[in-house]
Amino acid sequence: MTDLLKRRLLPSVLRQLDRYSTGGWLLGLLFFALALTPSLIPRHFVTQGILCGCTFAAGYGIGVFLSWLWDYLELSWPNERLALWIGRSLVLACLILALVFLWFSTGWQNSIRAVMGVAPVEASQPVLVAAIAVIPAAILVGLGTLFVHGVRFVSAWLGRIIPRRVALVGAIVAVGLLAATLGEGVVGRGLLYAADRFYGNLDRLAGSYAAEPSDSQRSGSAASLIDWDTIGLDARIYVQSGPTQAEIVAMTDKPARDPVRVYVGLRSADTPEQRAALALQEMDRVGAFDRKVLALIMPVGTGWVEPSAIDTLEFMHGGDVASVAVQYSYLTSWLSLVSEPDVGVDTARALFSAVYARWHAMPHDSRPRLYLHGLSLGAYSSVASASLYDILGDPFDGALWVGTPFATDDWRSATVGRQPNSPWWKPQVGDGMAVRFSNGEGDMVGDTRPWGPLRTIFLQYPSDPIVFFEATMAWREPVWISGTRPPGVSPLLNWYPVVTFLQVALDMALAQTAPIGFGHVYAPQDYFDAWVQVSQPEGWSESDLSALRTKLTRHGDRTLIEGGWFRS
């Protein structure tokens, strides 16, 4: 039996494996193993398996390309037989490494849960992770093989009329363009269109069963200029929720008013300019410009406005707040961010231009304080809504931008231009009179530094992949990984070319699965602290604000507001 294994079975297996690229297997297994290491968001074994399959395919493709390049350059090993066995040995070593990493993967994922204060997961599913990884790996390697066969076919055809190497280059370009056209122009756009239709129908149907507001001051009511049927599910939660005058009085022991909330849905008008004009008319109808505070909100991709962002502002200002939001998309923020990040910019600019023109024309002593706010893709759009040169002579009062995406130009400029002794994940910008960054956890409480006329805060968690993803991390270590390790990030996180890029890209899709206070899930108390700095509420002592903060949030625990105004 042993002789049979040595003479027949083992050589047969080796011959079959040698049919595939040794370099591909080597890098594929290495990437598979490294994908099991921790990143920013803890992963379920299903998503871990999908990630491992994709990273194996990426490594396999790179290995195949490097092997082809070696042959194309007509390089050779001094001893081909020795090189073959060295390659086999390295593949075996990477296979063992992958098995070892599978064994340790649960502990590594638990290192992320530990810094987030989440109970560890005891069950280990290495077999399921490996089994699930086979599916995306097979699909992607199959597509790559199809691409290679296409290049060979076209190259052989072109080689009849032009030199062989020129034909190869032409074939790579031709097949590459065809693959890009089919992948992005047909499949990608088709999937994006299908997703937009799905989320649009969901937005329309899921909210169709709720009765329109009876309060005439609410958008969508019988007295409103905005048809209730054009306001989707997420927007209806914003319109119909929030504290009442009585609830604010009970919480603050101060006089209060019922807050005003205006919302214009994507179906409420045809163009961004028309939706902005409709919002302005609705604001006039409900007396928004007669309030003490006016907040222009850009919602996230689906139209959602985070309740804890606006509720905290309304409580600290005694309800004398008018807020207006205009929808610009149906897609979730991360999907819009990677497919059409500028989709909300036109809407944000139209809304700001319309409201700012009216606000600028009002007497300074009788107009409301004007603030901008956005979360996630809403922050991206809100940041782009106002040109600095247009408002320098009469700036609005401030902005709170939360979970600002990595692609935001002003965020990146401020971060790159930070003080040299400040970390990437919490920059110090100049003297802090115009722009400040917060990581939450009460880091803004007691900050008595003076502000200038325009107060801007970027609230961001170091574990938020929407903020800290970088395309360049495919080949270059990000600054936020190489420097001092920020709070909320696993100490075992390391950078690996290509692998970390794919890990953090997946983290963006999982960012809202993190516990509150981590990832892309921002806590009420952190909104509260930031709004205190930005809006400087009047009539409050520091101890009174601390007491209100404690009332609004369960002290020492990142959970919901006690009165039930905030969603989980």
Side-chain angles (χ1 to χ4, degrees):
M1 187 68 177
T2 304
D3 185 64
L4 178 65
L5 289 174
K6 288 182 179 180
R7 291 179 176 273
R8 296 187 179 182
L9 186 58
L10 182 59
S12 176
V13 170
L14 292 176
R15 281 195 301 271
Q16 291 297 320
L17 291 177
D18 287 341
R19 293 176 56 192
Y20 300 94
S21 167
T22 301
W25 276 106
L26 178 64
L27 285 185
L29 288 171
L30 180 61
F31 279 24
F32 175 97
L34 295 176
L36 294 162
T37 59
S39 54
L40 293 176
I41 305 296
R43 295 185 288 271
H44 186 266
F45 71 87
V46 174
T47 53
Q48 180 66 73
I50 294 172
L51 174 64
C52 285
C54 293
T55 52
F56 174 88
Y60 188 88
I62 294 172
V64 169
F65 172 75
L66 292 177
S67 297
W68 169 84
L69 184 63
W70 178 272
D71 294 335
Y72 185 77
L73 296 175
E74 299 180 353
L75 301 174
S76 62
W77 298 100
N79 187 322
E80 293 292 340
R81 184 174 178 81
L82 178 61
L84 178 64
W85 278 102
I86 290 176
R88 289 172 176 175
S89 300
L90 290 175
V91 169
L92 178 61
C94 286
L95 176 60
I96 295 172
L97 181 69
L99 294 175
V100 172
F101 277 32
L102 276 169
W103 180 261
F104 286 108
S105 61
T106 300
W108 287 333
Q109 293 303 307
N110 283 337
S111 74
I112 311 175
R113 296 183 177 94
V115 296
M116 294 182 175
V118 179
V121 173
E122 300 297 337
S124 179
Q125 304 285 356
V127 176
L128 288 177
V129 169
I132 293 170
V134 171
I135 300 173
I139 293 173
L140 294 174
V141 170
L143 291 174
T145 303
L146 183 63
F147 177 85
V148 170
H149 286 318
V151 170
R152 288 175 176 172
F153 175 80
V154 175
S155 177
W157 182 78
L158 291 175
R160 300 173 185 173
I161 54 177
I162 58 177
R164 180 173 61 87
R165 296 201 174 192
V166 177
L168 177 60
V169 173
I172 293 174
V173 172
V175 177
L177 289 174
L178 177 62
T181 301
L182 291 175
E184 181 180 357
V186 178
V187 178
R189 288 295 167 186
L191 291 175
L192 183 62
Y193 175 76
D196 187 67
R197 288 288 301 273
F198 170 79
Y199 282 109
N201 291 332
L202 182 65
D203 183 75
R204 181 183 298 107
L205 296 176
S208 62
Y209 303 102
E212 67 180 33
S214 57
D215 184 353
S216 62
Q217 290 292 95
R218 303 266 182 175
S219 294
S221 66
S224 174
L225 302 175
I226 301 164
D227 191 336
W228 182 242
D229 291 336
T230 66
I231 300 178
L233 174 63
D234 284 350
R236 293 183 179 191
I237 295 174
Y238 162 74
V239 169
Q240 293 186 306
S241 66
T244 64
Q245 177 189 24
E247 291 167 338
I248 296 173
V249 170
M251 183 67 68
T252 64
D253 294 325
K254 295 176 180 290
R257 304 176 65 180
D258 282 319
V260 168
R261 295 186 177 188
V262 173
Y263 196 100
V264 179
L266 190 57
R267 298 186 302 276
S268 300
D270 294 331
T271 67
E273 291 74 21
Q274 291 172 343
R275 288 190 286 272
L278 182 58
L280 188 62
Q281 294 172 29
E282 182 76 353
M283 292 169 68
D284 286 334
R285 185 187 73 83
V286 298
F289 289 97
D290 298 328
R291 296 301 178 114
K292 183 195 304 180
V293 172
L294 176 59
L296 303 187
I297 302 174
M298 289 306 296
V300 302
T302 60
W304 174 263
V305 176
E306 182 60 37
S308 54
I310 185 62
D311 290 359
T312 49
L313 184 67
E314 291 168 343
F315 271 107
M316 68 179 65
H317 289 283
D320 201 4
V321 176
S323 58
V324 55
V326 178
Q327 187 179 12
Y328 54 87
S329 173
Y330 298 122
L331 299 176
T332 58
S333 285
W334 73 268
L335 189 56
S336 293
L337 183 61
V338 298
S339 60
E340 44 181 8
D342 293 326
V343 66
V345 172
D346 289 342
T347 298
R349 287 174 176 167
L351 176 63
F352 178 81
S353 296
V355 174
Y356 180 79
R358 174 70 61 81
W359 178 82
H360 174 66
M362 296 177 67
H364 284 219
D365 59 353
S366 62
R367 67 185 185 185
R369 284 184 276 166
L370 179 60
Y371 299 101
L372 308 187
H373 170 64
L375 166 66
S376 193
L377 192 61
Y380 177 93
S381 301
S382 181
V383 170
S385 65
S387 170
L388 179 63
Y389 300 109
D390 292 336
I391 57 95
L392 271 178
D394 188 14
F396 56 90
D397 292 274
L400 172 56
W401 291 314
V402 182
T404 310
F406 62 92
T408 308
D409 290 337
D410 287 0
W411 170 87
R412 180 162 294 276
S413 296
T415 303
V416 170
R418 69 193 184 282
Q419 295 286 358
N421 60 342
S422 62
W424 182 273
W425 39 270
K426 192 178 181 183
Q428 300 292 325
V429 182
D431 57 6
M433 292 189 68
V435 178
R436 297 179 191 175
F437 284 76
S438 170
N439 294 152
E441 296 287 357
D443 62 0
M444 307 219 75
V445 175
D447 188 346
T448 58
R449 289 178 296 168
W451 281 97
L454 176 59
R455 303 168 178 177
T456 302
I457 288 180
F458 289 99
L459 172 60
Q460 58 191 34
Y461 293 149
S463 57
D464 188 348
I466 300 292
V467 178
F468 293 105
F469 175 82
E470 297 177 24
T472 57
M473 68 173 60
W475 63 86
R476 184 176 65 203
E477 183 177 12
V479 177
W480 57 269
I481 291 181
S482 60
T484 304
R485 189 54 47 91
V489 176
S490 170
L492 301 179
L493 169 64
N494 290 295
W495 174 77
Y496 307 102
V498 180
V499 176
T500 303
F501 169 85
L502 294 174
Q503 286 179 318
V504 180
L506 177 62
D507 286 343
M508 286 199 293
L510 303 176
Q512 290 185 311
T513 65
I516 191 167
F518 298 93
H520 204 55
V521 186
Y522 288 84
Q525 54 266 42
D526 296 329
Y527 280 108
F528 182 91
D529 296 339
W531 275 127
V532 167
Q533 286 289 333
V534 170
S535 68
Q536 298 286 298
E538 299 171 352
W540 293 90
S541 65
E542 187 172 333
S543 59
D544 289 340
L545 285 172
S546 178
L548 178 61
R549 184 183 191 272
T550 302
K551 289 179 182 178
L552 291 179
T553 57
R554 294 176 183 174
H555 184 64
D557 183 12
R558 293 187 171 278
T559 53
L560 306 180
I561 190 168
E562 290 181 346
W565 295 285
F566 298 160
R567 70 164 185 167
S568 59

